[in-house]
Amino acid sequence: MDCIYKDSNAPIEARVKDLLSRMTLLEKIGQMTQIERSVATPSAIKERFIGSVLSGGGSKPFENAKSADWADMIDGFQKAALETRLGIPIIYGVDAVHGNNNVYGTTIFPHNIGLGATRDADLVRRIGEVTALEVRASGAQYAFAPCVAVSRDPRWGRCYESYSEDTEIVRKMTSLVSGLQGEPPRGHPKGYPFLAGRKNVIASAKHFVGDGGTQHGVNEGNTILSYDELERIHMAPYLDCISQGVCTIMASYSGWNGDKLHTHHFLLTEVLKNKLGFMGFIISDWEALDRLYTPHGSNYRQSILSSVNAGIDMVMVPFRYELFLEEFLSLVESGEIPMARIDDAVERILRVKFVSGIFEHPLSDRSLLDVVGCKAHRELAREAVSKSLVLLKNGKDEKIPLLPLDKKTKRILVTGTHADNLGYQCGGWTITWDGASGRITEGTTILDAIKVVVDNEAEITYELNPTAETFSGQDFSLAIVAVGEGPYVESGGDDPVLKIPFNGSELAGFVADRVPTLLILVTGRPLVLEAQLLEKIEALVVAWLPGTEGRGITDVIFGDRPFHGRLPMTWFRSVDDLPIHSSGENSLDPLFPFGFGLTTTC
Ligand code: GLC
C-alpha cells in the first residue's frame, strides 16, 4: 500500500488515518510530548519520537541570537525528526505574545491591554499577520497566542496579557487568530483547524478557561462562578477562536470552583471538544502536570493519568521527558489510559500538522529574514501604540487643554524611570521571560522620540532623577514625566497594592510642584492615582506597555495623530474597591470608568 500520508493531494483525514495506522505506541506517545529546547538533543528527538519542541520564555540558542540563528537551531531539531522511521516533523512553539518577542531585533508590539484600548480588531489581525511572518523567519511554526483571558482584577500578574475586563472586547480581539493563521474560507468546517500557508503560524488560544477570573486575581488560582457565568464571561472568546479555525488551545493552570482545569473532563472534553466541536489539540501549560499534586510533582503518575484522560492531547513537559514517557507508557499498557484516548489525541496532533503544511515544508524559509524588524512592521507597531494611548486628563482647566503639545515648545524637561528605558516600555515576555531594564533590543524610547519630533530650537533636558538642583536657574516651560511598572510575568506580577513603583508618584508630584507637567504612565494595568497627584499634573496619558515603537507616543502627544484609546479596564479609586468592573456588580464609583478616554483633534 503506498503511503497515503505522504501524498499532499490526499484528503487530510485520509492522511491522518493512514499515518495513525502505521504508528507504534511509542511513536504515538512521543507525538503527545513537547520538550524544552535546552533538553532537546537530536538523539532525544529521534529515539523518543518527540512531537514538539518549545522555547520557554526567553530560551534562546545564545545571547542576542538573531532570527537566522534561531532558524539554524530549529532546522537542526527538525532534521533529527525527519530521520525517524515515519519522518513526522516537529512543530516548534514560542510565546510570540507581542511580536516574536524572544528574538533580538524583532518588532515588539504593545501588550494586549494596550491593544484592547484601541478597540480595533482589524489592527490586531494585521499585527497577527506580521507576528506570524517574524515567527516563521526564525523557523518556529507555532505561537502560544492569543491570550484571550478576560481579566476581572488588575491585581492579577497577567492582567496586561488580557485585552480587557469586557468579554465583548476580548471576543473582537480574537481576530489575532485570523492574523496568525490566515482567515478560513467561507464554508470552512466548524471547529476544524485552519492554516493558510508558510507565512502563517499555528495559534494557541489560552488559557482555557477562566484564567482571568480567579479570586483576588491570584495567578493560577481558583475561579468561583456558576457554569452560566463561566460560559458567558470567560468561555465566549473561545467560540470566536474556534470559528476562526484555531489549531490549538492551551489549558489553564487555574481551577473552576475548586477543580483544576488540567484534569477537568467536563470542560476539556464534554464542552470544548464535544459540545463546541473543537477538532484541533489541547496542550497543557508549562509543568502544569507537575503542579497538579503538591508537593511539586509528588504524584506525577496520577497527574499524567488524570490530565490525559480529561482531554489533554499534548503535554508541555518540558524537562523530565524520560520520566514522563516511562510513566505514560506504563499507564497505557496497564489500560488506565485507554488506547482510544491516545488515538484521539494523536489524530488531533497529526491533523494540525497536516493542516499546517509542515510535512511538505518542514524547514525554515530564509527568504523571510529580510522582513524581521523592517520599517513597515515598525510602522504598524507605531500605529498600534498611537491608537492604544488613553488620555485621562488634558489641562487643569478643560478650556485650556495642554495636549497636543507644541513642537516649538522652548524648554522641556524629560524625566522619570520610564522616559528612556526600552525594557520598561516592552514589559515582560521580551527577550527574556520576565523582561529587563535598558536597551534590551532595537527600538525607540520616549526620550528618543521626543528628540526627533520637536523643532530644532526646542531645548530638551533629560534627568533620570530630578532634584531641586535640576530646577535652579531653569525656566522649563513643560515637564514630561514618564513613570510606571518594571517588567514582570505570571505570579511575579501578582500585586495586592498596585502603587506606582520606583516612587513614581512622588517623583511626578515633585516635578509637578515646579513645572506644568504631562504624566505618562507606562503600566500593564490600572494603578493607584492619588487625588493630590491628579490635581497637580496638567495632563495624564496611559501608554500601557507600548513595546519598541516610542514614536507612537509622541505622534499623539505632539498632535500628529489624535488620541483614540479608551480604557479597557475600569480604573479603580482604591484597591479596597477591587474587584470592580464594567459589569456593574460593584456599585463603588471608579476613578475613571471603563471606556473612558479624552480625544484631541490634529
Ligand atoms: C507559561 C505560561 C504560558 C506559556 C507557557 C510556555 O507558564 O502560562 O502562557 O505559553 O508557559 O512558555
Side-chain angles (χ1 to χ4, degrees):
M1 183 172 90
D2 59 351
C3 286
I4 296 173
Y5 82 92
K6 288 182 179 172
D7 175 359
S8 62
N9 296 316
I12 284 184
E13 290 308 304
R15 299 180 78 179
V16 169
K17 192 165 176 297
D18 174 57
L19 180 49
L20 186 68
S21 70
R22 299 168 185 270
M23 293 171 75
T24 65
L25 175 55
L26 288 178
E27 288 165 336
K28 290 178 180 176
I29 61 176
Q31 280 302 305
M32 296 171 68
T33 306
Q34 184 182 67
I35 64 175
E36 217 282 333
R37 53 154 288 281
S38 55
V39 297
T41 59
S43 55
I45 290 171
K46 275 190 275 192
E47 288 154 23
R48 302 300 188 130
F49 312 106
I50 297 297
S52 179
V53 180
L54 86 149
S55 277
S59 176
K60 51 183 72 71
F62 49 83
E63 270 318 291
N64 294 330
K66 307 216 49 177
S67 295
D69 305 312
W70 279 74
D72 292 343
M73 170 185 74
I74 295 168
D75 284 353
F77 293 140
Q78 190 66 288
K79 285 169 186 160
L82 297 175
E83 287 170 14
T84 55
R85 182 177 75 90
L86 293 168
I88 303 173
I90 59 157
I91 49 177
Y92 194 97
V94 292
D95 285 282
V97 294
H98 63 143
N100 193 22
N101 38 256
N102 285 320
V103 183
Y104 185 88
T106 58
T107 311
I108 305 295
F109 292 91
H111 269 297
N112 286 354
I113 186 131
L115 299 181
T118 71
R119 304 301 200 270
D120 187 338
D122 186 60
L123 169 72
V124 169
R125 184 189 56 74
R126 287 183 286 140
I127 289 171
E129 282 179 342
V130 164
T131 299
L133 284 170
E134 298 205 12
V135 169
R136 288 307 295 250
S138 71
Q141 316 88 2
Y142 184 12
F144 302 128
C147 176
V148 292
V150 179
S151 175
R152 307 291 274 183
D153 193 319
R155 290 171 292 189
W156 185 35
R158 307 191 74 165
C159 182
Y160 68 83
E161 296 185 64
S162 165
Y163 293 107
S164 176
E165 69 186 32
D166 177 81
T167 302
E168 290 315 303
I169 291 177
V170 177
R171 293 191 62 189
K172 274 180 71 172
M173 300 305 160
T174 61
S175 58
L176 190 88
V177 173
S178 292
L180 290 173
Q181 299 190 158
E183 218 148 343
R186 188 178 297 282
H188 181 74
K190 178 177 175 317
Y192 202 86
F194 176 79
L195 196 120
R198 298 182 66 187
K199 294 182 176 175
N200 300 101
V201 293
I202 295 162
S204 176
K206 67 185 188 182
H207 312 80
F208 187 84
V209 63
D211 51 344
T214 59
Q215 276 192 306
H216 316 305
V218 172
N219 189 47
E220 303 185 23
N222 189 34
T223 296
I224 299 177
L225 290 172
S226 69
Y227 178 75
D228 288 352
E229 288 166 326
L230 184 75
E231 195 178 51
R232 177 173 53 81
I233 299 169
H234 298 283
M235 204 178 289
Y238 287 90
L239 278 73
D240 299 286
C241 294
I242 290 168
S243 69
Q244 294 174 75
V246 71
C247 287
T248 78
I249 289 176
M250 187 182 295
S252 178
Y253 288 121
S254 56
W256 174 50
N257 295 342
D259 296 322
K260 284 289 186 185
L261 256 295
H262 272 77
T263 60
H264 215 292
H265 185 270
F266 170 68
L267 289 176
L268 295 179
T269 296
E270 293 169 55
V271 173
L272 185 52
K273 291 180 176 177
N274 298 345
K275 180 182 173 194
L276 301 182
F278 175 59
M279 294 181 71
F281 69 80
I282 301 176
I283 186 168
S284 82
D285 204 335
W286 176 279
E287 285 187 344
L289 273 58
D290 303 64
R291 302 183 194 179
L292 278 176
Y293 299 93
T294 49
H296 186 80
S298 62
N299 195 333
Y300 195 40
R301 182 185 174 84
Q302 177 60 33
S303 301
I304 300 168
L305 173 63
S306 46
S307 56
V308 173
N309 277 348
I312 297 287
D313 300 308
M314 181 179 281
V315 175
M316 187 187 292
V317 177
F319 299 118
R320 306 192 299 171
Y321 64 89
E322 285 105 337
L323 172 62
F324 169 71
L325 285 166
E326 182 189 335
E327 295 286 15
F328 195 3
L329 177 63
S330 144
L331 283 162
V332 182
E333 286 176 335
S334 69
E336 291 167 274
I337 297 180
M339 201 58 211
R341 174 71 275 270
I342 299 298
D343 286 345
D344 171 55
V346 177
E347 233 176 60
R348 290 168 178 272
I349 293 166
L350 296 181
R351 178 176 298 131
V352 168
K353 288 189 175 183
F354 281 121
V355 159
S356 77
I358 198 153
F359 277 84
E360 282 66 54
H361 303 289
L363 298 176
S364 61
D365 175 359
R366 302 300 171 112
S367 71
L368 295 175
L369 287 170
D370 296 344
V371 303
V372 176
C374 68
K375 184 164 173 41
H377 291 183
R378 292 183 187 275
E379 281 302 300
L380 176 62
R382 176 176 171 178
E383 176 192 346
V385 174
S386 62
K387 288 181 173 178
S388 69
L389 264 59
V390 179
L391 181 57
L392 295 182
K393 179 178 182 181
N394 191 10
K396 287 183 178 174
D397 174 347
E398 283 171 3
K399 296 187 199 59
I400 314 169
L402 181 76
L403 302 177
L405 300 176
D406 183 345
K407 292 175 185 176
K408 294 187 180 348
T409 305
K410 274 278 169 275
R411 299 167 58 70
I412 302 177
L413 169 66
V414 179
T415 182
T417 47
H418 290 57
D420 190 31
N421 195 315
L422 201 59
Y424 284 1
Q425 267 173 226
C426 294
W429 297 105
T430 316
I431 308 302
T432 58
W433 176 52
D434 48 358
S437 172
R439 287 269 171 195
I440 59 170
T441 185
E442 293 159 5
T444 307
T445 65
I446 296 170
L447 178 64
D448 295 337
I450 293 170
K451 287 179 177 172
V452 168
V453 80
V454 296
D455 285 6
N456 297 337
E457 60 268 25
E459 264 180 58
I460 306 292
T461 303
Y462 171 64
E463 182 68 62
L464 176 61
N465 297 305
T467 63
E469 271 312 295
T470 310
F471 300 89
S472 62
Q474 300 283 356
D475 59 341
F476 294 116
S477 34
L478 170 76
I480 298 176
V481 179
V483 293
E485 295 190 299
Y488 53 82
V489 277
E490 305 194 46
S491 300
D494 281 3
D495 180 349
V497 177
L498 295 178
K499 249 180 77 59
I500 302 176
F502 311 114
N503 292 322
S505 195
E506 293 73 10
L507 183 151
F510 175 78
V511 174
D513 282 340
R514 292 160 176 79
V515 179
T517 292
L518 161 61
L519 174 58
I520 299 175
L521 206 45
V522 179
T523 180
R525 53 192 160 186
L527 298 172
V528 171
L529 288 170
E530 291 92 359
Q532 191 190 27
L533 175 62
L534 273 177
E535 268 303 299
K536 287 181 180 179
I537 57 176
E538 288 291 326
L540 171 60
V541 170
V542 185
W544 310 111
L545 298 172
T548 50
E549 304 313 306
R551 284 299 304 273
I553 295 173
T554 49
D555 283 342
V556 281
I557 64 175
F558 282 93
D560 291 326
R561 285 180 166 149
F563 272 94
H564 171 95
R566 291 188 291 131
L567 287 180
M569 295 277 297
T570 302
W571 202 288
F572 60 87
R573 280 183 195 285
S574 156
V575 288
D576 299 333
D577 300 343
L578 294 175
I580 178 172
H581 33 68
S582 53
S583 55
E585 286 140 18
N586 183 321
S587 58
L588 291 163
D589 71 309
L591 186 60
F592 297 101
F594 166 79
F596 182 82
L598 300 175
T599 55
T600 52
T601 51
C602 291

